[in-house]
Amino acid sequence: MDSTSAVFLCFATLFISSVISISDHSLLVYKNCANRTFTTTAPTLTSLFQELTAHSNQSKFFKHTESTDDDEISGVYQCRGDITNQECHSCVNTLPDISKTMCRESVAARVQLHGCYMRYKLEGVDSDYSGKKRLLHKSCGEGGGSINGGVGGFEEMRSAAFGVLESGVVSGEGFCKTRYELIDVMAQCEGGLGGCECGECVSSAVQVAEEECGGSLSGEIYLAECFLSFAYHPDDESHSDEEQRDKKGSDGKKLAIVVGGAAALFFGFIFLLFLKSWGKKDEY
């Protein structure tokens, strides 16, 4: 599949209702907290949080650095490409409290929710999420596929879906969400990551998914600068067949109504002609 087709699939899917509800955007996926903490209170961190959340109703990606004579803290947030700015703001707005609760006064942290993430670090601190392709979190669903003899051709279908995904993020400004046959796939790179670099990051995530998740029917892979998710929906095939049968049945009924109506009009017309002709005979 060429890149143009892949991009069309990705953006066409943005008009389809999201599987994840709005309320689920703020569900925690994972968190990484540095062991080292601030020796004193961190007003600079509070200012950073305020600056980041203030921009979240205008943009889905934003970087900022807060500096004082003693500290310099850099931070970034990003929202998923398929949610609105309002949903983005709602999601990001929950991140500071979650970070403070779970990571306390860590000098570096990353909190990932379903709809957004935020990370920050104190200047000079080595964080656990350094390295663009570093694996931060993975989640593999129930087994299946050809490895376990569950779903014939599943891995081939998933590989093809991943191929569409890799093409889509390169030409689709770092975000792609689409369906290939019975598999939903989604990927996103951190804002500012170039097309080729984004494609390489997603390719690395694909490799991790194939190696770590094996024949799992669903999974999520989070690297430092990109993530991907996939989910197999076998029930949709039967639903699709039912819809086709319903559609054919409906079309058949419509055709019968049209044909029946046309026949009634035809015979009615003949009957009127007969009456008219009979009336003329009576005049003579």
Side-chain angles (χ1 to χ4, degrees), residues 6 28 31 39-40 89 93 100 107 153 165 168 242 250 254 272:
L28 179 68
K31 49 89 177 174
T39 55
T40 59
H89 176 67
N93 207 37
K100 290 174 184 177
V107 294
L165 197 61
E242 289 175 3
S250 176
K254 289 178 181 178
L272 287 174

Side-chain angles (χ1 to χ4, degrees), residues 174-206:
F175 177 78
C176 181
K177 177 183 177 184
T178 189
R179 165 166 289 197
Y180 181 86
E181 294 186 6
L182 300 178
I183 299 182
D184 288 328
V185 287
M186 177 169 58
Q188 184 170 17
C189 295
E190 184 167 296
L193 200 64
C196 292
E197 288 182 303
C198 178
E200 291 173 1
C201 189
V202 173
S203 295
S204 298
V206 166

Side-chain angles (χ1 to χ4, degrees), residues 110 119 131-132 188-190 193 201 223-227:
R110 177 173 180 138
R119 61 176 172 82
K132 295 179 180 179
Q188 184 170 17
C189 295
E190 184 167 296
L193 200 64
C201 189
L223 304 186
E225 291 197 342
C226 66
F227 82 91

Side-chain angles (χ1 to χ4, degrees), residues 218-230:
S218 63
E220 296 179 346
I221 304 297
Y222 291 85
L223 304 186
E225 291 197 342
C226 66
F227 82 91
L228 73 80
S229 65
F230 66 93

Side-chain angles (χ1 to χ4, degrees), residues 260-275:
L265 288 173
F266 175 76
F267 285 111
F269 179 70
I270 295 298
F271 182 68
L272 287 174
L273 288 178
F274 175 76
L275 290 177

Side-chain angles (χ1 to χ4, degrees), residues 103-236:
C103 296
R104 303 294 181 181
E105 296 292 333
S106 295
V107 294
R110 177 173 180 138
V111 178
Q112 175 76 53
L113 308 182
H114 270 296
C116 63
Y117 74 86
M118 180 184 289
R119 61 176 172 82
Y120 72 87
K121 76 181 190 72
L122 181 66
E123 185 65 26
V125 173
D126 292 329
S127 61
D128 292 336
Y129 49 79
S130 59
K132 295 179 180 179
K133 300 176 183 178
R134 183 184 180 92
L135 176 62
L136 302 180
H137 176 77
K138 69 177 173 65
S139 174
C140 302
E142 294 181 358
S146 58
I147 288 180
N148 298 323
V151 182
F154 165 73
E155 289 181 3
E156 292 78 6
M157 188 191 306
R158 187 180 63 181
S159 294
F162 283 159
V164 172
L165 197 61
E166 291 176 52
S167 299
V169 293
V170 171
S171 304
E173 298 182 354
F175 177 78
C176 181
K177 177 183 177 184
T178 189
R179 165 166 289 197
Y180 181 86
E181 294 186 6
L182 300 178
I183 299 182
D184 288 328
V185 287
M186 177 169 58
Q188 184 170 17
C189 295
E190 184 167 296
L193 200 64
C196 292
E197 288 182 303
C198 178
E200 291 173 1
C201 189
V202 173
S203 295
S204 298
V206 166
Q207 185 176 355
V208 173
E210 292 174 339
E211 292 176 355
E212 299 287 339
C213 292
S216 296
L217 301 180
S218 63
E220 296 179 346
I221 304 297
Y222 291 85
L223 304 186
E225 291 197 342
C226 66
F227 82 91
L228 73 80
S229 65
F230 66 93
Y232 175 66
H233 298 285
D235 293 339
D236 290 355

